[in-house]
Amino acid sequence: MNEKVISIAIDGPAAAGKSTVAKLVAKALNYTYIDTGAMYRAVTYAVIKAGLNPENEEESVTVLPGMTIDLLEDGTVLCNGEDVSKVIRTPMVSSKVSYIAAMKPVRLALVDMQRAMSNSKCVVMDGRDIGTYVLPSAQVKIFQIASVECRAKRRYDENLSKGIPTTMEDVIEDVKKRDYIDSHRAFAPLKPAEDSVQLDTSELNIQEVVDAILAIVKEKTGVEA
Ligand code: DC
C-alpha cells in the first residue's frame, strides 16, 4: 500500500449523523466517501426483492455470488446495476438490515469489497466496524455518538425530507432495535476501537462536528482541509 494513502474511519450507532458528516469531511479533504451501511442495505434489498427471508441466513446468502455493488461519486448506489439509492432507505429495508448485517458470510463479502475500495486511494469510510475490523490501521478513527432521541429526530427529519413516510415512535423503536442487534452480534459488533476518538454530537450542529473531525485529522496526520 502507498504510504501516503490515508484512511479515516467514522463509526457509531444508527442515525448518529455519520454519513452526512463523513460526506462533508470527504469533500473538504477531496477524499472518496464510502458508505458501508448502504452496502448492507443493498444486500438486504436484494434478499427482499428475491422473495427470500432476510432473517434466514441460509436463504439470504444465496444472493451473494456474483452480486455487484457500486457506490458512485454522486451518491448513487447500484446493486447488480439497478439504482437502489432510494429504496434502500425505506422502512422495509431499514427494519431488516441488522439481521443481514449480523450474517458472517455477508460481512466477509462486503469487507473484502470495502478493503479493495480503500486500497489505493484516500477514503472517509463510515460504518460500525471500520476502525475495529475493516481498516484497523486507519490513521484517524472517530466513534460518533448521540442520544437515542436526538438520533431518532435526525432520522425522522431525514425521512421527511426524502418523502419517506414514518412516525417518531417507529423511528425510535427502529433505532433502539438496531442499536441492540448491531452491538450484540457475534461477529464484528459495534464498539469503539481502542484508539478511536469518541465524539458526542448530541449538542453539536453538522458544521461543528465536521470541524471537530477535521481538527482531529490535522492533529493525527498533518493533513489540512
Ligand atoms: O449506517 P446505516 O444505518 O445505513 O447502516 C445500516 C445497517 O448496516 C446498520 O443496522 C448496521 C449495519 N452496518 C454494519 O453492521 N456495519 C457497517 N460497517 C455498516 C453498517
Short mmCIF file of all heavy atoms in Angstrom, two decimals, residues 79-108:
data_model
loop_
_atom_site.label_atom_id
_atom_site.label_comp_id
_atom_site.label_asym_id
_atom_site.label_seq_id
_atom_site.Cartn_x
_atom_site.Cartn_y
_atom_site.Cartn_z
N CYS A 79 -27.03 -1.76 -7.30
CA CYS A 79 -26.92 -3.16 -6.87
C CYS A 79 -27.25 -4.01 -8.09
O CYS A 79 -28.37 -3.90 -8.63
CB CYS A 79 -27.90 -3.42 -5.73
SG CYS A 79 -27.80 -5.10 -5.12
N ASN A 80 -26.30 -4.79 -8.52
CA ASN A 80 -26.44 -5.55 -9.77
C ASN A 80 -26.90 -4.64 -10.91
O ASN A 80 -27.75 -5.00 -11.72
CB ASN A 80 -27.42 -6.72 -9.60
CG ASN A 80 -26.90 -7.73 -8.59
OD1 ASN A 80 -25.69 -7.98 -8.50
ND2 ASN A 80 -27.79 -8.32 -7.82
N GLY A 81 -26.36 -3.41 -10.92
CA GLY A 81 -26.66 -2.46 -11.98
C GLY A 81 -27.93 -1.66 -11.78
O GLY A 81 -28.18 -0.69 -12.49
N GLU A 82 -28.77 -2.04 -10.81
CA GLU A 82 -30.04 -1.31 -10.59
C GLU A 82 -29.82 -0.17 -9.59
O GLU A 82 -29.15 -0.36 -8.57
CB GLU A 82 -31.06 -2.32 -10.02
CG GLU A 82 -32.40 -1.68 -9.65
CD GLU A 82 -33.33 -2.66 -8.92
OE1 GLU A 82 -33.03 -3.88 -8.85
OE2 GLU A 82 -34.35 -2.18 -8.39
N ASP A 83 -30.41 0.99 -9.86
CA ASP A 83 -30.31 2.12 -8.94
C ASP A 83 -31.22 1.86 -7.74
O ASP A 83 -32.45 1.90 -7.86
CB ASP A 83 -30.71 3.42 -9.66
CG ASP A 83 -30.56 4.65 -8.75
OD1 ASP A 83 -30.34 4.48 -7.53
OD2 ASP A 83 -30.65 5.78 -9.28
N VAL A 84 -30.59 1.60 -6.58
CA VAL A 84 -31.38 1.28 -5.37
C VAL A 84 -31.25 2.39 -4.33
O VAL A 84 -31.63 2.20 -3.17
CB VAL A 84 -30.91 -0.08 -4.77
CG1 VAL A 84 -31.17 -1.23 -5.75
CG2 VAL A 84 -29.44 -0.04 -4.35
N SER A 85 -30.71 3.55 -4.73
CA SER A 85 -30.40 4.64 -3.79
C SER A 85 -31.57 4.98 -2.87
O SER A 85 -31.37 5.21 -1.68
CB SER A 85 -30.00 5.90 -4.55
OG SER A 85 -29.15 5.60 -5.60
N LYS A 86 -32.78 5.02 -3.43
CA LYS A 86 -33.92 5.47 -2.63
C LYS A 86 -34.52 4.30 -1.84
O LYS A 86 -34.78 4.43 -0.64
CB LYS A 86 -34.96 6.11 -3.56
CG LYS A 86 -36.01 6.83 -2.79
CD LYS A 86 -36.67 7.95 -3.53
CE LYS A 86 -37.63 8.65 -2.57
NZ LYS A 86 -38.65 9.43 -3.22
N VAL A 87 -34.72 3.19 -2.50
CA VAL A 87 -35.43 2.08 -1.84
C VAL A 87 -34.66 1.54 -0.63
O VAL A 87 -35.27 1.08 0.33
CB VAL A 87 -35.76 0.95 -2.87
CG1 VAL A 87 -34.51 0.20 -3.31
CG2 VAL A 87 -36.79 -0.01 -2.29
N ILE A 88 -33.33 1.66 -0.64
CA ILE A 88 -32.56 1.12 0.50
C ILE A 88 -32.73 1.96 1.77
O ILE A 88 -32.30 1.55 2.83
CB ILE A 88 -31.05 0.95 0.19
CG1 ILE A 88 -30.40 2.28 -0.17
CG2 ILE A 88 -30.84 -0.13 -0.88
CD1 ILE A 88 -28.87 2.21 -0.26
N ARG A 89 -33.36 3.13 1.66
CA ARG A 89 -33.60 3.99 2.84
C ARG A 89 -35.00 3.80 3.39
O ARG A 89 -35.37 4.48 4.36
CB ARG A 89 -33.41 5.48 2.49
CG ARG A 89 -32.11 5.81 1.83
CD ARG A 89 -30.94 5.77 2.80
NE ARG A 89 -29.68 5.73 2.08
CZ ARG A 89 -28.52 5.37 2.61
NH1 ARG A 89 -28.46 5.03 3.88
NH2 ARG A 89 -27.43 5.33 1.90
N THR A 90 -35.83 3.00 2.74
CA THR A 90 -37.22 2.86 3.20
C THR A 90 -37.28 1.94 4.42
O THR A 90 -36.40 1.11 4.64
CB THR A 90 -38.10 2.25 2.08
OG1 THR A 90 -37.56 0.97 1.73
CG2 THR A 90 -38.15 3.14 0.85
N PRO A 91 -38.37 2.09 5.25
CA PRO A 91 -38.51 1.23 6.43
C PRO A 91 -38.48 -0.26 6.09
O PRO A 91 -38.01 -1.07 6.88
CB PRO A 91 -39.88 1.64 6.99
CG PRO A 91 -40.06 3.06 6.54
CD PRO A 91 -39.42 3.14 5.18
N MET A 92 -38.95 -0.63 4.91
CA MET A 92 -38.93 -2.04 4.51
C MET A 92 -37.51 -2.61 4.61
O MET A 92 -37.30 -3.72 5.10
CB MET A 92 -39.42 -2.15 3.05
CG MET A 92 -39.24 -3.52 2.42
SD MET A 92 -39.76 -3.51 0.69
CE MET A 92 -38.27 -2.91 -0.13
N VAL A 93 -36.52 -1.82 4.20
CA VAL A 93 -35.12 -2.26 4.25
C VAL A 93 -34.52 -1.96 5.63
O VAL A 93 -33.87 -2.82 6.24
CB VAL A 93 -34.29 -1.60 3.11
CG1 VAL A 93 -32.80 -1.86 3.30
CG2 VAL A 93 -34.76 -2.12 1.76
N SER A 94 -34.76 -0.75 6.17
CA SER A 94 -34.16 -0.36 7.47
C SER A 94 -34.51 -1.34 8.57
O SER A 94 -33.69 -1.65 9.43
CB SER A 94 -34.65 1.04 7.89
OG SER A 94 -34.21 1.99 6.97
N SER A 95 -35.74 -1.86 8.55
CA SER A 95 -36.19 -2.73 9.64
C SER A 95 -35.56 -4.12 9.56
O SER A 95 -35.64 -4.89 10.51
CB SER A 95 -37.71 -2.83 9.65
OG SER A 95 -38.14 -3.44 8.46
N LYS A 96 -34.95 -4.48 8.43
CA LYS A 96 -34.38 -5.83 8.28
C LYS A 96 -32.87 -5.84 8.16
O LYS A 96 -32.24 -6.90 8.27
CB LYS A 96 -34.97 -6.50 7.02
CG LYS A 96 -36.47 -6.71 7.06
CD LYS A 96 -36.87 -7.70 8.14
CE LYS A 96 -38.38 -7.86 8.24
NZ LYS A 96 -38.81 -8.52 9.45
N VAL A 97 -32.26 -4.66 7.95
CA VAL A 97 -30.83 -4.64 7.60
C VAL A 97 -29.93 -5.18 8.71
O VAL A 97 -28.91 -5.80 8.44
CB VAL A 97 -30.40 -3.23 7.12
CG1 VAL A 97 -30.56 -2.18 8.20
CG2 VAL A 97 -28.97 -3.22 6.61
N SER A 98 -30.33 -5.01 9.98
CA SER A 98 -29.48 -5.51 11.06
C SER A 98 -29.37 -7.03 11.05
O SER A 98 -28.36 -7.58 11.48
CB SER A 98 -29.99 -5.05 12.42
OG SER A 98 -29.54 -3.74 12.67
N TYR A 99 -30.42 -7.70 10.59
CA TYR A 99 -30.36 -9.18 10.51
C TYR A 99 -29.32 -9.58 9.46
O TYR A 99 -28.49 -10.47 9.67
CB TYR A 99 -31.73 -9.76 10.15
CG TYR A 99 -32.79 -9.48 11.19
CD1 TYR A 99 -33.78 -8.54 10.96
CD2 TYR A 99 -32.76 -10.14 12.41
CE1 TYR A 99 -34.75 -8.27 11.91
CE2 TYR A 99 -33.71 -9.87 13.38
CZ TYR A 99 -34.70 -8.93 13.13
OH TYR A 99 -35.64 -8.65 14.09
N ILE A 100 -29.38 -8.89 8.32
CA ILE A 100 -28.44 -9.19 7.23
C ILE A 100 -27.01 -8.85 7.66
O ILE A 100 -26.06 -9.62 7.40
CB ILE A 100 -28.84 -8.37 5.97
CG1 ILE A 100 -30.19 -8.88 5.42
CG2 ILE A 100 -27.76 -8.41 4.90
CD1 ILE A 100 -30.18 -10.27 4.85
N ALA A 101 -26.85 -7.72 8.37
CA ALA A 101 -25.51 -7.29 8.79
C ALA A 101 -24.92 -8.20 9.86
O ALA A 101 -23.72 -8.15 10.12
CB ALA A 101 -25.56 -5.84 9.29
N ALA A 102 -25.74 -9.02 10.48
CA ALA A 102 -25.23 -9.94 11.51
C ALA A 102 -24.75 -11.26 10.90
O ALA A 102 -24.20 -12.10 11.61
CB ALA A 102 -26.32 -10.21 12.55
N MET A 103 -24.94 -11.45 9.59
CA MET A 103 -24.56 -12.73 8.95
C MET A 103 -23.10 -12.69 8.52
O MET A 103 -22.69 -11.84 7.72
CB MET A 103 -25.47 -12.98 7.74
CG MET A 103 -26.92 -13.17 8.15
SD MET A 103 -28.02 -13.21 6.72
CE MET A 103 -29.62 -13.16 7.54
N LYS A 104 -22.31 -13.60 9.05
CA LYS A 104 -20.87 -13.59 8.79
C LYS A 104 -20.52 -13.65 7.30
O LYS A 104 -19.67 -12.87 6.84
CB LYS A 104 -20.20 -14.73 9.56
CG LYS A 104 -18.70 -14.63 9.56
CD LYS A 104 -18.07 -15.61 10.53
CE LYS A 104 -16.56 -15.51 10.45
NZ LYS A 104 -15.90 -16.44 11.37
N PRO A 105 -21.16 -14.53 6.50
CA PRO A 105 -20.79 -14.57 5.08
C PRO A 105 -21.05 -13.24 4.37
O PRO A 105 -20.29 -12.85 3.47
CB PRO A 105 -21.69 -15.68 4.50
CG PRO A 105 -22.11 -16.50 5.68
CD PRO A 105 -22.16 -15.55 6.84
N VAL A 106 -22.10 -12.55 4.79
CA VAL A 106 -22.40 -11.24 4.19
C VAL A 106 -21.28 -10.27 4.57
O VAL A 106 -20.72 -9.56 3.72
CB VAL A 106 -23.76 -10.68 4.69
CG1 VAL A 106 -23.96 -9.25 4.21
CG2 VAL A 106 -24.91 -11.57 4.25
N ARG A 107 -20.90 -10.26 5.85
CA ARG A 107 -19.86 -9.32 6.31
C ARG A 107 -18.54 -9.60 5.60
O ARG A 107 -17.86 -8.67 5.17
CB ARG A 107 -19.67 -9.39 7.83
CG ARG A 107 -20.91 -9.07 8.63
CD ARG A 107 -20.57 -8.63 10.04
NE ARG A 107 -19.98 -7.31 10.06
CZ ARG A 107 -20.67 -6.17 10.03
NH1 ARG A 107 -21.97 -6.17 9.99
NH2 ARG A 107 -20.04 -5.01 10.02
N LEU A 108 -18.20 -10.87 5.48
CA LEU A 108 -16.90 -11.19 4.86
C LEU A 108 -16.88 -10.70 3.41
O LEU A 108 -15.89 -10.13 2.94
CB LEU A 108 -16.63 -12.69 4.93
CG LEU A 108 -16.37 -13.23 6.35
CD1 LEU A 108 -16.18 -14.74 6.32
CD2 LEU A 108 -15.14 -12.55 6.97
#
